[in-house]
Amino acid sequence: MNDELKSSIGALKDSIEDLELPQSLALLAGLFPGKVTLSSSFSWEDQVLSHFVLAAHLDIEIFTLDTGRLFPETYTVWSKTNDRYQTRIKAYYPNQGDIEKYVNERGPNAFYNSVAERKSCCFIRKVEPLKRALKGKSIWITGLRAEHSPERQDLQALEWDEGNSIIKYNPLLRTSAIELKKIIGDYSIPYNPLHDKGFVSIGCAPCTRAILPGEDFRAGRWWWEENTKKECGIHAR
């Protein structure tokens, strides 16, 4: 089954190549009924994608990973999104036993101690819940953009995610932050106010800060780590 799904990527690329975002989302929802899911952290990117899914009532599930350490502003935009579109975005949480063991043995802020400790925390709070969220799905829609980091420059709009045995669709890959802001303004889409305070990439509160002028997009994530790949593991390649 996985081989068949993987081999369909070429035909899917041809099908969506000349389509606008709303049309490509609708096409995938029609081709894979009940098998398309969108992951949201309530960022600019994810809010734009959610708008086009929810406004058109597409058969696409939207979920979020609630790590337990999110900003209050993130929960606020989550609630506003539910209210605006009369929906309930599904939440996945860390395994209770795993997170209790991590905190009780290592402490609530052990992720500051080393890259290994941080990645362990990310795995418990994000990677493992993501695998549950993607189970049984065929298409995973993400808000990844090439501007986010050098490692994402060579991503493809449609690609195979080996770790999760799923087709990953990155429809905003070549969309700029300026273009995103315009879409949000044009459609009055709810968004996280932290974006207006210099937060470009918004994750867990202890691990995210605003970026300074001239810093790259990922500088605000795990800023205490030097010379490391700034990823949590959910988009491992």
Side-chain angles (χ1 to χ4, degrees), residues 25 34-43 45-65 77-78 81-82 85-92 130 133-134 137 139-143:
L25 294 173
K35 297 289 186 179
V36 184
T37 192
L38 163 63
S39 57
S40 175
S41 63
F42 305 100
S43 64
E45 296 84 2
D46 300 330
Q47 289 299 94
V48 166
L49 292 171
S50 294
H51 168 78
F52 288 114
V53 168
L54 295 169
H57 305 287
L58 299 179
D59 181 17
I60 295 176
E61 179 186 75
I62 303 175
F63 73 89
T64 191
L65 304 177
V77 73
W78 181 352
T81 302
N82 280 341
Y85 300 98
Q86 292 299 290
T87 191
R88 288 293 178 267
I89 291 173
K90 186 173 184 178
Y92 286 85
L130 174 72
L134 297 180
K137 302 296 185 181
I139 306 288
W140 171 22
I141 303 170
T142 85

Side-chain angles (χ1 to χ4, degrees), residues 111-128:
F111 45 82
Y112 288 130
N113 296 336
S114 69
V115 174
E117 290 281 19
R118 192 269 292 173
K119 288 185 176 181
S120 180
C121 185
C122 286
F123 182 87
I124 294 169
R125 295 183 186 273
K126 301 177 75 173
V127 177
E128 191 278 329

Side-chain angles (χ1 to χ4, degrees), residues 41-44 47 71-78 184 189-197 199 202-203:
S41 63
F42 305 100
S43 64
W44 277 327
Q47 289 299 94
F71 285 96
E73 291 87 347
T74 301
Y75 292 106
T76 297
V77 73
W78 181 352
I184 287 171
I189 300 171
Y191 70 94
N192 196 322
L194 290 175
H195 285 307
D196 294 331
K197 299 178 180 180
F199 288 77
I202 303 172

